Amino acid sequence: MTDPCAFGVYIHWPFCLSKCPYCDFNSHVRHAAIDEARFVRAFSAEIAATAARAGGRTVSTIFFGGGTPSLMQPATVGAVLDAVARHWSIASDVEVTLEANPTSVEATRFRGYRAAGVNRVSLGVQAIDDAALKELGRLHTAREALDAVAVARASFERYSFDLIYARPGQTPADWAAELKRAIAEAGEHLSLYQLTIEQETPFFALHAAGKLVVPDDDTGRALYDTTQDVCAGAGLPAYEISNHARPGAECRHNLVYWRAHEYAGIGPGAHGRLDIAGERRATATEKRPEAWLMRVEGSGHGVVTDEALTPEQMADEFLLMGLRLAEGVAPERYAALAGRPLNPRRVAILREQGAVETTADGRLRVTLAGFPVLDAVVADLAA
Ligand SMILES: C[S@@+](CC[C@H](N)C(=O)[O-])C[C@H]1O[C@@H](n2cnc3c(N)ncnc32)[C@H](O)[C@@H]1O
Ligand code: SF4
């Protein structure tokens, strides 16, 4: 079921046309033109430096995330892919995903990405409702978003799009209708995120001031249940807490994270997990784009954190990521990482509560009833 040799490369493009008021990703707005040639040189240098430490891998997935990577010129994307291929072998069935924002989708640009080697796009549609898009601070309408989906469908064999639900005032009936409209436009994959109020965002301040009211816990739960029912009924079951796919069409890059495989993080604010000299190393680069550029130009890479994880940390991370998946985790892999098995008493209690179950092949997984309280389940098992 899992591919132990999976190796992913994540490339971060840190710029957006405007900052959405709910978003705390490492994304920045610049009014001057971005010097993409300079970024290509820096990405190439950081790829070379990472491959010098973690060579001999075969890349199975590459993901351009952001920010808004669809603001990159296709030639920039192609040059970064060439740099990856200069330093590592590339699997013949490599998955290459690029995140796109509907505001910056044009058919010619998408054809350019495809010619450069991208074979999957993930579009940030967010809502199919103009009032909701306005409230989310998006620069596109529902019509423009659906037109972008049509361009994606015509340009790529594999595409996905994101929606945000549990928005202010949203009822399960509204959401079911919107989700059905979305599914009619979807291909093999959808990402459906509950709106999270992130600290230090404009939404956080509005929420704290009582000016932005999100659905209460019971309504949030009902919205989550609606999501599962509508998607499963349409052949798009959840394979991860927020991700739905037709069986076999899962995003292989995200599976690399959730299955705790190895990945390189390239670009401003990118995280990596690399197995070097028998240790799992957690890496992170400088977040600020211009500071990252200067670091790479000065020392060949932008890494500011590079730590070996302890067995305890590796095991916790394995649970935290793996229990997000419908397939769950192999308890023996946990035991091998932690140096001790999961506490059988805690597992038994959670099983009695209906929050976890053991599959026929001995994997431990969170049930549909347990997913809304996933953080508590993980905390309990890791304690
Ligand atoms: C890094 S964004 C990149 C997508 C692209 N920049 C766009 O916005 O179209 C990835 C996704 O995270 C989701 N997201 C970001 N902030 C969120 C929040 N506070 N709550 C829920 N989902 C969020 C959105 O669905 C978004 O499409
Ligand atoms: S949601 Fe997407 S477009 Fe909006 S600020 Fe975040 S990364 Fe940029």
Side-chain angles (χ1 to χ4, degrees), residues 96 98 109-115 117-121 151-159:
V96 184
L98 181 132
R109 192 176 270 253
F110 265 26
R111 278 197 291 274
Y113 293 141
R114 191 182 162 161
V118 173
N119 54 29
R120 181 176 182 276
V121 287
V151 174
R153 186 185 302 120
S155 315
F156 293 95
E157 213 167 290
R158 300 184 63 198
Y159 70 95

mmCIF file of all heavy atoms in Angstrom, residues 96 98 109-115 117-121 151-159:
data_model
loop_
_atom_site.group_PDB
_atom_site.id
_atom_site.type_symbol
_atom_site.label_atom_id
_atom_site.label_comp_id
_atom_site.label_asym_id
_atom_site.label_seq_id
_atom_site.Cartn_x
_atom_site.Cartn_y
_atom_site.Cartn_z
ATOM 1 N N VAL A 96 3.847 15.879 -10.863
ATOM 2 C CA VAL A 96 4.326 17.265 -10.710
ATOM 3 C C VAL A 96 3.104 18.179 -10.603
ATOM 4 O O VAL A 96 2.400 18.420 -11.590
ATOM 5 C CB VAL A 96 5.216 17.697 -11.889
ATOM 6 C CG1 VAL A 96 5.785 19.098 -11.643
ATOM 7 C CG2 VAL A 96 6.355 16.702 -12.125
ATOM 8 N N LEU A 98 1.168 21.843 -9.500
ATOM 9 C CA LEU A 98 1.344 23.288 -9.306
ATOM 10 C C LEU A 98 0.043 23.875 -8.768
ATOM 11 O O LEU A 98 -1.047 23.582 -9.298
ATOM 12 C CB LEU A 98 1.725 23.932 -10.645
ATOM 13 C CG LEU A 98 1.981 25.435 -10.617
ATOM 14 C CD1 LEU A 98 3.302 25.770 -11.339
ATOM 15 C CD2 LEU A 98 0.860 26.205 -11.306
ATOM 16 N N ARG A 109 -0.895 30.048 -20.440
ATOM 17 C CA ARG A 109 0.032 29.830 -19.329
ATOM 18 C C ARG A 109 -0.031 28.350 -18.888
ATOM 19 O O ARG A 109 0.978 27.722 -18.629
ATOM 20 C CB ARG A 109 -0.384 30.742 -18.177
ATOM 21 C CG ARG A 109 0.613 30.843 -17.075
ATOM 22 C CD ARG A 109 0.115 31.848 -16.078
ATOM 23 N NE ARG A 109 0.594 33.174 -16.409
ATOM 24 C CZ ARG A 109 1.546 33.806 -15.713
ATOM 25 N NH1 ARG A 109 2.080 33.237 -14.678
ATOM 26 N NH2 ARG A 109 1.937 34.988 -16.055
ATOM 27 N N PHE A 110 -1.252 27.814 -18.830
ATOM 28 C CA PHE A 110 -1.395 26.408 -18.424
ATOM 29 C C PHE A 110 -0.732 25.483 -19.435
ATOM 30 O O PHE A 110 -0.097 24.497 -19.057
ATOM 31 C CB PHE A 110 -2.886 26.054 -18.257
ATOM 32 C CG PHE A 110 -3.361 26.185 -16.828
ATOM 33 C CD1 PHE A 110 -2.731 27.050 -15.947
ATOM 34 C CD2 PHE A 110 -4.434 25.447 -16.362
ATOM 35 C CE1 PHE A 110 -3.152 27.178 -14.625
ATOM 36 C CE2 PHE A 110 -4.869 25.556 -15.046
ATOM 37 C CZ PHE A 110 -4.223 26.426 -14.186
ATOM 38 N N ARG A 111 -0.869 25.812 -20.733
ATOM 39 C CA ARG A 111 -0.192 24.977 -21.738
ATOM 40 C C ARG A 111 1.315 25.034 -21.526
ATOM 41 O O ARG A 111 2.025 24.056 -21.695
ATOM 42 C CB ARG A 111 -0.567 25.423 -23.161
ATOM 43 C CG ARG A 111 -1.898 24.841 -23.616
ATOM 44 C CD ARG A 111 -2.068 24.926 -25.132
ATOM 45 N NE ARG A 111 -2.226 26.318 -25.589
ATOM 46 C CZ ARG A 111 -3.411 26.949 -25.620
ATOM 47 N NH1 ARG A 111 -4.514 26.337 -25.226
ATOM 48 N NH2 ARG A 111 -3.488 28.197 -26.040
ATOM 49 N N GLY A 112 1.790 26.219 -21.148
ATOM 50 C CA GLY A 112 3.238 26.394 -20.891
ATOM 51 C C GLY A 112 3.698 25.544 -19.707
ATOM 52 O O GLY A 112 4.760 24.915 -19.756
ATOM 53 N N TYR A 113 2.887 25.508 -18.641
ATOM 54 C CA TYR A 113 3.257 24.666 -17.482
ATOM 55 C C TYR A 113 3.308 23.209 -17.897
ATOM 56 O O TYR A 113 4.198 22.459 -17.513
ATOM 57 C CB TYR A 113 2.236 24.818 -16.341
ATOM 58 C CG TYR A 113 2.212 26.189 -15.695
ATOM 59 C CD1 TYR A 113 1.015 26.766 -15.313
ATOM 60 C CD2 TYR A 113 3.393 26.883 -15.453
ATOM 61 C CE1 TYR A 113 0.982 28.014 -14.721
ATOM 62 C CE2 TYR A 113 3.362 28.136 -14.862
ATOM 63 C CZ TYR A 113 2.151 28.703 -14.505
ATOM 64 O OH TYR A 113 2.123 29.935 -13.923
ATOM 65 N N ARG A 114 2.328 22.830 -18.708
ATOM 66 C CA ARG A 114 2.271 21.433 -19.120
ATOM 67 C C ARG A 114 3.515 21.084 -19.948
ATOM 68 O O ARG A 114 4.140 20.039 -19.740
ATOM 69 C CB ARG A 114 1.002 21.219 -19.927
ATOM 70 C CG ARG A 114 0.775 19.761 -20.134
ATOM 71 C CD ARG A 114 -0.420 19.499 -20.966
ATOM 72 N NE ARG A 114 -0.307 18.137 -21.456
ATOM 73 C CZ ARG A 114 -1.305 17.451 -21.910
ATOM 74 N NH1 ARG A 114 -2.492 17.978 -21.942
ATOM 75 N NH2 ARG A 114 -1.122 16.236 -22.352
ATOM 76 N N ALA A 115 3.877 21.991 -20.869
ATOM 77 C CA ALA A 115 5.069 21.748 -21.701
ATOM 78 C C ALA A 115 6.322 21.695 -20.825
ATOM 79 O O ALA A 115 7.283 20.978 -21.127
ATOM 80 C CB ALA A 115 5.197 22.848 -22.758
ATOM 81 N N GLY A 117 6.481 20.410 -17.898
ATOM 82 C CA GLY A 117 6.551 19.151 -17.145
ATOM 83 C C GLY A 117 5.539 19.015 -16.017
ATOM 84 O O GLY A 117 5.496 17.986 -15.345
ATOM 85 N N VAL A 118 4.722 20.054 -15.797
ATOM 86 C CA VAL A 118 3.681 19.947 -14.763
ATOM 87 C C VAL A 118 2.595 18.994 -15.299
ATOM 88 O O VAL A 118 2.206 19.087 -16.459
ATOM 89 C CB VAL A 118 3.074 21.343 -14.467
ATOM 90 C CG1 VAL A 118 1.873 21.241 -13.539
ATOM 91 C CG2 VAL A 118 4.145 22.266 -13.890
ATOM 92 N N ASN A 119 2.122 18.060 -14.469
ATOM 93 C CA ASN A 119 1.070 17.154 -14.955
ATOM 94 C C ASN A 119 -0.175 17.130 -14.061
ATOM 95 O O ASN A 119 -1.069 16.312 -14.240
ATOM 96 C CB ASN A 119 1.611 15.733 -15.188
ATOM 97 C CG ASN A 119 2.313 15.153 -13.970
ATOM 98 O OD1 ASN A 119 1.974 15.500 -12.845
ATOM 99 N ND2 ASN A 119 3.282 14.292 -14.200
ATOM 100 N N ARG A 120 -0.221 18.052 -13.084
ATOM 101 C CA ARG A 120 -1.394 18.097 -12.202
ATOM 102 C C ARG A 120 -1.510 19.522 -11.670
ATOM 103 O O ARG A 120 -0.479 20.111 -11.312
ATOM 104 C CB ARG A 120 -1.176 17.108 -11.053
ATOM 105 C CG ARG A 120 -2.302 16.998 -10.056
ATOM 106 C CD ARG A 120 -2.009 15.920 -9.007
ATOM 107 N NE ARG A 120 -3.122 15.787 -8.090
ATOM 108 C CZ ARG A 120 -3.310 16.547 -7.021
ATOM 109 N NH1 ARG A 120 -2.417 17.487 -6.697
ATOM 110 N NH2 ARG A 120 -4.362 16.386 -6.272
ATOM 111 N N VAL A 121 -2.724 20.083 -11.622
ATOM 112 C CA VAL A 121 -2.882 21.405 -10.989
ATOM 113 C C VAL A 121 -3.906 21.324 -9.865
ATOM 114 O O VAL A 121 -4.826 20.500 -9.894
ATOM 115 C CB VAL A 121 -3.329 22.543 -11.942
ATOM 116 C CG1 VAL A 121 -2.223 22.977 -12.856
ATOM 117 C CG2 VAL A 121 -4.565 22.168 -12.696
ATOM 118 N N VAL A 151 -10.466 25.368 -17.732
ATOM 119 C CA VAL A 151 -9.136 25.452 -18.375
ATOM 120 C C VAL A 151 -8.243 24.336 -17.829
ATOM 121 O O VAL A 151 -7.523 23.670 -18.581
ATOM 122 C CB VAL A 151 -8.492 26.841 -18.148
ATOM 123 C CG1 VAL A 151 -7.056 26.872 -18.676
ATOM 124 C CG2 VAL A 151 -9.314 27.930 -18.811
ATOM 125 N N ALA A 152 -8.319 24.118 -16.528
ATOM 126 C CA ALA A 152 -7.508 23.047 -15.924
ATOM 127 C C ALA A 152 -7.896 21.693 -16.514
ATOM 128 O O ALA A 152 -7.035 20.876 -16.858
ATOM 129 C CB ALA A 152 -7.706 23.037 -14.406
ATOM 130 N N ARG A 153 -9.197 21.491 -16.644
ATOM 131 C CA ARG A 153 -9.691 20.200 -17.164
ATOM 132 C C ARG A 153 -9.208 19.986 -18.598
ATOM 133 O O ARG A 153 -8.835 18.882 -18.983
ATOM 134 C CB ARG A 153 -11.222 20.204 -17.116
ATOM 135 C CG ARG A 153 -11.859 18.876 -17.500
ATOM 136 C CD ARG A 153 -13.376 18.963 -17.561
ATOM 137 N NE ARG A 153 -13.967 19.401 -16.318
ATOM 138 C CZ ARG A 153 -14.712 20.487 -16.166
ATOM 139 N NH1 ARG A 153 -14.953 21.282 -17.194
ATOM 140 N NH2 ARG A 153 -15.218 20.810 -15.007
ATOM 141 N N ALA A 154 -9.204 21.073 -19.379
ATOM 142 C CA ALA A 154 -8.802 20.947 -20.781
ATOM 143 C C ALA A 154 -7.287 20.802 -20.920
ATOM 144 O O ALA A 154 -6.806 20.284 -21.925
ATOM 145 C CB ALA A 154 -9.279 22.187 -21.552
ATOM 146 N N SER A 155 -6.537 21.257 -19.917
ATOM 147 C CA SER A 155 -5.079 21.293 -20.059
ATOM 148 C C SER A 155 -4.380 20.118 -19.390
ATOM 149 O O SER A 155 -3.268 19.763 -19.775
ATOM 150 C CB SER A 155 -4.515 22.579 -19.444
ATOM 151 O OG SER A 155 -5.266 23.698 -19.831
ATOM 152 N N PHE A 156 -4.982 19.561 -18.345
ATOM 153 C CA PHE A 156 -4.280 18.535 -17.547
ATOM 154 C C PHE A 156 -5.170 17.310 -17.355
ATOM 155 O O PHE A 156 -6.382 17.450 -17.160
ATOM 156 C CB PHE A 156 -3.900 19.079 -16.163
ATOM 157 C CG PHE A 156 -2.872 20.158 -16.236
ATOM 158 C CD1 PHE A 156 -3.266 21.492 -16.254
ATOM 159 C CD2 PHE A 156 -1.520 19.846 -16.309
ATOM 160 C CE1 PHE A 156 -2.324 22.502 -16.348
ATOM 161 C CE2 PHE A 156 -0.578 20.854 -16.393
ATOM 162 C CZ PHE A 156 -0.970 22.180 -16.411
ATOM 163 N N GLU A 157 -4.542 16.163 -17.360
ATOM 164 C CA GLU A 157 -5.290 14.939 -17.095
ATOM 165 C C GLU A 157 -5.752 14.913 -15.636
ATOM 166 O O GLU A 157 -6.808 14.409 -15.315
ATOM 167 C CB GLU A 157 -4.355 13.765 -17.341
ATOM 168 C CG GLU A 157 -5.047 12.535 -17.870
ATOM 169 C CD GLU A 157 -4.008 11.570 -18.382
ATOM 170 O OE1 GLU A 157 -3.385 11.874 -19.425
ATOM 171 O OE2 GLU A 157 -3.793 10.577 -17.685
ATOM 172 N N ARG A 158 -4.917 15.466 -14.747
ATOM 173 C CA ARG A 158 -5.256 15.423 -13.322
ATOM 174 C C ARG A 158 -5.395 16.845 -12.781
ATOM 175 O O ARG A 158 -4.500 17.668 -12.975
ATOM 176 C CB ARG A 158 -4.146 14.691 -12.539
ATOM 177 C CG ARG A 158 -3.939 13.253 -12.991
ATOM 178 C CD ARG A 158 -2.903 12.548 -12.119
ATOM 179 N NE ARG A 158 -3.339 12.448 -10.739
ATOM 180 C CZ ARG A 158 -2.534 12.196 -9.713
ATOM 181 N NH1 ARG A 158 -1.230 12.046 -9.906
ATOM 182 N NH2 ARG A 158 -3.011 12.112 -8.487
ATOM 183 N N TYR A 159 -6.516 17.125 -12.159
ATOM 184 C CA TYR A 159 -6.661 18.427 -11.513
ATOM 185 C C TYR A 159 -7.496 18.260 -10.257
ATOM 186 O O TYR A 159 -8.248 17.297 -10.106
ATOM 187 C CB TYR A 159 -7.292 19.470 -12.462
ATOM 188 C CG TYR A 159 -8.746 19.224 -12.762
ATOM 189 C CD1 TYR A 159 -9.743 19.854 -12.034
ATOM 190 C CD2 TYR A 159 -9.122 18.328 -13.763
ATOM 191 C CE1 TYR A 159 -11.085 19.608 -12.290
ATOM 192 C CE2 TYR A 159 -10.454 18.079 -14.022
ATOM 193 C CZ TYR A 159 -11.429 18.715 -13.289
ATOM 194 O OH TYR A 159 -12.759 18.455 -13.537
#
